[in-house]
Amino acid sequence: MNITKTILTMVILASLALFVGCTQDSQNKIGRSIQNWTGVNGVLEIYSGGKVVKKFIKIDKLSTATGTTGKVDRPYRFGYGILDANFNGIKDPGEKKVYFEFSDYSTSYIFFENP
Protein backbone atom coordinates (compact mmCIF):
# COMPACT_ATOMS: atom_id res chain seq x y z
CA MET A 1 0.00 0.00 0.00
CA ASN A 2 2.81 2.39 0.94
CA ILE A 3 4.72 1.67 -2.27
CA THR A 4 1.64 2.48 -4.37
CA LYS A 5 1.30 5.88 -2.69
CA THR A 6 5.00 6.54 -3.21
CA ILE A 7 4.82 5.67 -6.91
CA LEU A 8 1.70 7.78 -7.36
CA THR A 9 3.36 10.74 -5.63
CA MET A 10 6.44 10.38 -7.84
CA VAL A 11 4.32 10.28 -11.00
CA ILE A 12 2.41 13.39 -9.95
CA LEU A 13 5.62 15.27 -9.10
CA ALA A 14 7.24 14.24 -12.39
CA SER A 15 4.18 15.39 -14.34
CA LEU A 16 4.17 18.69 -12.49
CA ALA A 17 7.87 19.19 -13.16
CA LEU A 18 7.34 18.46 -16.86
CA PHE A 19 4.46 20.93 -17.07
CA VAL A 20 6.37 23.69 -15.25
CA GLY A 21 9.34 23.09 -17.54
CA CYS A 22 7.23 23.63 -20.67
CA THR A 23 7.34 26.92 -22.53
CA GLN A 24 4.31 29.20 -22.36
CA ASP A 25 3.39 28.18 -25.91
CA SER A 26 3.44 24.50 -24.97
CA GLN A 27 1.31 25.19 -21.89
CA ASN A 28 -1.20 27.06 -24.09
CA LYS A 29 -1.37 24.13 -26.51
CA ILE A 30 -2.00 21.73 -23.63
CA GLY A 31 -4.74 24.03 -22.30
CA ARG A 32 -6.37 24.28 -25.73
CA SER A 33 -6.30 20.52 -26.20
CA ILE A 34 -8.00 20.03 -22.83
CA GLN A 35 -10.58 22.64 -23.79
CA ASN A 36 -11.05 20.90 -27.15
CA TRP A 37 -11.91 17.70 -25.28
CA THR A 38 -14.44 19.46 -23.09
CA GLY A 39 -15.77 21.80 -25.78
CA VAL A 40 -17.19 25.28 -25.46
CA ASN A 41 -20.43 26.93 -26.46
CA GLY A 42 -18.61 29.34 -28.76
CA VAL A 43 -19.94 32.26 -30.77
CA LEU A 44 -18.15 33.63 -33.84
CA GLU A 45 -19.07 37.06 -35.14
CA ILE A 46 -17.67 38.24 -38.49
CA TYR A 47 -17.50 42.00 -39.01
CA SER A 48 -17.43 44.21 -42.09
CA GLY A 49 -17.63 47.98 -41.94
CA GLY A 50 -18.10 47.83 -38.17
CA LYS A 51 -21.24 45.68 -38.41
CA VAL A 52 -21.83 41.98 -37.76
CA VAL A 53 -22.39 40.36 -41.17
CA LYS A 54 -22.28 36.66 -40.15
CA LYS A 55 -22.81 34.94 -36.82
CA PHE A 56 -22.20 31.32 -35.94
CA ILE A 57 -23.32 29.83 -32.61
CA LYS A 58 -22.82 26.56 -30.70
CA ILE A 59 -19.24 26.16 -31.94
CA ASP A 60 -17.23 23.45 -30.18
CA LYS A 61 -13.86 24.77 -31.31
CA LEU A 62 -12.01 26.68 -34.00
CA SER A 63 -9.12 24.91 -35.66
CA THR A 64 -6.12 26.37 -37.42
CA ALA A 65 -5.47 24.71 -40.76
CA THR A 66 -2.19 22.83 -40.97
CA GLY A 67 -0.43 21.88 -44.17
CA THR A 68 -0.14 18.20 -44.99
CA THR A 69 3.58 18.52 -45.69
CA GLY A 70 5.86 20.40 -43.35
CA LYS A 71 3.20 20.77 -40.65
CA VAL A 72 3.11 24.55 -41.22
CA ASP A 73 0.03 26.45 -40.06
CA ARG A 74 -2.03 27.90 -42.89
CA PRO A 75 -3.48 31.43 -42.64
CA TYR A 76 -7.08 30.43 -42.00
CA ARG A 77 -9.27 28.91 -39.34
CA PHE A 78 -12.25 26.61 -39.69
CA GLY A 79 -14.99 24.99 -37.67
CA TYR A 80 -18.60 23.89 -37.49
CA GLY A 81 -21.43 25.91 -36.03
CA ILE A 82 -25.02 26.93 -36.52
CA LEU A 83 -25.41 29.85 -38.90
CA ASP A 84 -27.48 32.35 -36.91
CA ALA A 85 -29.21 34.01 -39.86
CA ASN A 86 -31.24 36.49 -37.81
CA PHE A 87 -28.46 37.29 -35.27
CA ASN A 88 -30.64 36.52 -32.22
CA GLY A 89 -28.14 34.12 -30.61
CA ILE A 90 -30.44 31.08 -30.49
CA LYS A 91 -31.03 28.21 -32.91
CA ASP A 92 -34.27 28.83 -34.73
CA PRO A 93 -36.14 26.38 -36.98
CA GLY A 94 -34.38 26.21 -40.32
CA GLU A 95 -30.96 27.28 -38.99
CA LYS A 96 -28.54 24.42 -39.54
CA LYS A 97 -25.04 23.41 -38.56
CA VAL A 98 -22.58 24.40 -41.29
CA TYR A 99 -18.85 24.26 -42.01
CA PHE A 100 -17.08 27.62 -42.24
CA GLU A 101 -13.62 29.02 -42.93
CA PHE A 102 -12.20 32.50 -42.51
CA SER A 103 -8.84 34.18 -43.06
CA ASP A 104 -6.59 35.10 -40.14
CA TYR A 105 -5.22 38.05 -42.09
CA SER A 106 -8.18 39.85 -43.63
CA THR A 107 -11.20 38.90 -41.53
CA SER A 108 -12.34 41.00 -38.60
CA TYR A 109 -13.84 38.59 -36.09
CA ILE A 110 -14.50 37.91 -32.42
CA PHE A 111 -14.75 34.40 -31.00
CA PHE A 112 -16.08 34.04 -27.48
CA GLU A 113 -17.78 31.60 -25.14
CA ASN A 114 -21.51 32.20 -24.94
CA PRO A 115 -22.17 33.49 -21.41
Side-chain angles (χ1 to χ4, degrees):
M1 187 71 143
N2 241 353
I3 196 158
T4 305
K5 287 182 181 179
T6 304
I7 292 173
L8 182 61
T9 302
M10 290 173 64
V11 167
I12 290 171
L13 288 175
S15 299
L16 183 61
L18 259 170
F19 185 74
V20 170
C22 290
T23 64
Q24 184 67 39
D25 186 47
S26 296
Q27 290 176 14
N28 288 342
K29 286 181 181 180
I30 291 168
R32 283 193 303 272
S33 68
I34 291 169
Q35 185 177 24
N36 287 345
W37 291 339
T38 60
V40 295
N41 185 15
V43 176
L44 173 67
E45 295 179 339
I46 307 291
Y47 291 84
S48 179
K51 295 183 177 183
V52 178
V53 294
K54 290 281 183 193
K55 185 174 185 177
F56 300 92
I57 58 175
K58 297 188 184 271
I59 300 169
D60 290 333
K61 67 178 179 176
L62 291 181
S63 297
T64 301
T66 304
T68 54
T69 58
K71 301 294 183 196
V72 177
D73 286 347
R74 300 228 175 131
Y76 69 93
R77 297 188 186 278
F78 63 92
Y80 291 89
I82 296 170
L83 177 59
D84 187 10
N86 59 4
F87 304 105
N88 67 353
I90 59 173
K91 183 186 182 306
D92 294 314
E95 293 179 339
K96 297 181 179 178
K97 192 169 196 174
V98 296
Y99 171 81
F100 58 85
E101 295 179 358
F102 59 96
S103 169
D104 276 352
Y105 297 135
S106 63
T107 305
S108 297
Y109 70 92
I110 296 175
F111 179 72
F112 57 95
E113 185 175 3
N114 195 5

